[in-house]
């Protein structure tokens, strides 16, 4: 089993030097103040690492939303595949490594999110997923609502980010000294893997496109997809905040409960907003 896990890690690009080990403790400015590359562990007397090429890492602040997001907007690259591979098993660990400086090894969270949203929108357009419902063609208002849902789909895909962030911030926000941007990175990575899960779940609808199958798929998905989402968020919280299940299970449970509640409320607000737009 150990050999199998090692081979999987090497295939996904997870092999790393012990010099790059991420510390099990609070985030601090001192960690970023040393002239050491936080991606490969080499000494970095210059702004860029001479060994791996990564720019010297610093703590995330507000201006990084602009600089890190739009200056490097290349959506599809092999790095995204490696990042997704690790996110499936270690979403919180990937986010923690990225926050603590190992950034050349992972795709930028917003780039990954935008790529997955684009793929999901194309997939939904191809299978006409929102175009199949029980009262299709029978009620003008319902038909218009379905059209609006598709038109504003990008917003609904992003609502989970707010819920994930809120659950972590309210319950675990001060646990390891993460700032707002650093916790937002966890939320974006976590939502990215949730979108990847939704994409995988929708793939059968590209093969079986009958309205009957799609209606059945919608009905079945509403039971198991939320459970998978909650599991992903729970694993991400535990890894990112270094939670010990035996001693801190109540905090983890509370964070997940807040996430699930806020996510439910936001989706209901989104649905109400769609209804309001249609009924105007």
């Amino acid at each position: 089993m150990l050999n199998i896990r090692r081979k999987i890690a090497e295939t996904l690009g997870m092999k790393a030097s012990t010099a790059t080990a991420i510390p099990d403790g609070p985030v601090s400015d001192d960690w970023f103040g040393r002239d050491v590359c936080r991606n490969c562990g080499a000494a970095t007397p210059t702004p860029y690492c001479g060994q791996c090429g990564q720019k010297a890492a610093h703590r995330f602040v507000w201006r990084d939303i602009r600089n890190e997001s739009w200056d490097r907007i290349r959506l599809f690259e092999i790095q995204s595949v490696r990042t997704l591979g690790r996110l499936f098993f270690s979403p919180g660990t990937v986010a923690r490594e990225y926050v603590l400086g190992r950034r050349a090894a992972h795709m930028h969270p917003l780039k990954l999110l935008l790529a997955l949203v684009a793929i999901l929108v194309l997939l939904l357009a191809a299978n006409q997923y929102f175009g199949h419902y029980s009262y299709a063609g029978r009620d003008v208002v319902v038909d218009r609502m379905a059209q609006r849902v598709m038109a504003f789909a990008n917003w609904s895909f992003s609502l989970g980010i707010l819920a994930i962030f809120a659950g972590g911030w309210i319950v675990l926000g001060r646990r390891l000294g993460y700032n707002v941007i650093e916790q937002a990175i966890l939320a974006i990575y976590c939502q990215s893997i949730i979108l990847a899960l939704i994409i995988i779940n929708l793939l059968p609808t590209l093969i079986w496109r009958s309205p009957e199958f799609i209606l059945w798929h919608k009905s079945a998905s509403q039971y198991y997809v939320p459970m998978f989402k909650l599991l992903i968020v729970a694993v991400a919280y535990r890894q990112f905040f270094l939670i010990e299940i035996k001693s801190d299970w109540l905090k983890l449970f509370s964070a997940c409960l807040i996430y699930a509640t806020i996510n439910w409320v936001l989706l209901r607000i989104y649905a109400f907003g769609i209804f309001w737009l249609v009924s105007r």
Side-chain angles (χ1 to χ4, degrees):
M1 179 63 70
L2 184 60
N3 291 333
I4 294 175
R5 292 180 62 184
R6 185 181 296 113
K7 290 180 179 179
I8 294 174
E10 292 176 358
T11 302
L12 294 175
M14 293 188 286
K15 190 175 181 179
S17 168
T18 56
T20 64
I22 299 300
D24 293 335
V27 181
S28 66
D29 293 333
D30 292 338
W31 169 255
F32 294 94
R34 305 168 193 168
D35 292 334
V36 175
C37 176
R38 293 308 175 193
N39 185 61
C40 69
T44 54
T46 60
Y48 288 87
C49 176
Q51 181 167 303
C52 71
Q54 175 176 283
K55 186 177 180 180
H58 57 79
R59 290 200 70 173
F60 283 105
V61 293
W62 288 106
R63 65 175 178 271
D64 291 318
I65 296 178
R66 180 194 64 222
N67 296 338
E68 294 283 345
S69 302
W70 306 112
D71 291 347
R72 302 166 57 199
I73 190 73
R74 297 188 308 274
L75 292 181
F76 300 97
E77 51 190 44
I78 190 63
Q79 194 178 33
S80 63
V81 178
R82 292 178 176 175
T83 301
L84 273 175
R86 286 208 63 191
L87 279 174
F88 269 109
F89 302 99
S90 307
T93 301
V94 170
R96 180 170 171 82
E97 289 179 355
Y98 194 86
V99 163
L100 287 172
R102 191 177 293 163
R103 292 165 196 169
H106 305 300
M107 188 177 183
H108 188 278
L110 279 177
K111 288 168 58 180
L112 182 62
L113 180 70
L114 290 173
L116 290 170
V117 167
I119 294 172
L120 184 53
V121 169
L122 292 174
L123 179 57
L124 291 173
N127 61 14
Q128 296 293 310
Y129 199 72
F130 292 129
H132 298 285
Y133 42 91
S134 299
Y135 296 97
R138 303 181 189 178
D139 191 310
V140 175
V141 175
V142 175
D143 291 342
R144 289 177 60 194
M145 287 182 66
Q147 294 172 2
R148 289 289 185 177
V149 167
M150 189 62 195
F152 291 92
N154 290 5
W155 292 100
S156 65
F157 300 151
S158 304
L159 292 177
I161 296 175
L162 298 177
I164 297 166
F165 175 85
W169 182 261
I170 293 172
V171 180
L172 305 164
R174 302 186 183 279
R175 182 178 178 87
L176 293 177
Y178 295 116
N179 62 30
V180 173
I181 303 301
E182 289 162 347
Q183 293 200 45
I185 287 170
L186 169 68
I188 295 171
Y189 266 136
C190 201
Q191 182 65 10
S192 295
I193 198 61
I194 288 174
L195 290 182
L197 173 67
I198 293 173
I199 290 171
I200 293 172
N201 181 58
L202 287 173
L203 289 180
T205 63
L206 290 177
I207 302 173
W208 298 284
R209 300 191 179 190
S210 67
E212 294 77 15
F213 176 78
I214 292 181
L215 288 173
W216 175 85
H217 187 274
K218 284 184 177 182
S219 178
S221 296
Q222 67 181 338
Y223 294 104
Y224 62 82
V225 169
M227 291 189 294
F228 279 115
K229 288 182 179 179
L230 187 60
L231 178 61
I232 290 170
V233 173
V235 171
Y237 283 157
R238 185 186 67 80
Q239 295 172 343
F240 190 72
F241 293 102
L242 304 180
I243 294 174
E244 291 292 337
I245 301 297
K246 291 183 179 180
S247 58
D248 292 325
W249 67 268
L250 183 57
K251 288 184 177 181
L252 180 60
F253 175 80
S254 300
C256 292
L257 181 61
I258 290 175
Y259 153 74
T261 302
I262 293 178
N263 191 56
W264 185 88
V265 170
L266 288 175
L267 287 175
R268 294 309 178 275
I269 293 174
Y270 169 77
F272 177 81
I274 294 295
F275 179 78
W276 178 80
L277 287 172
V278 170
S279 60
R280 288 174 61 185

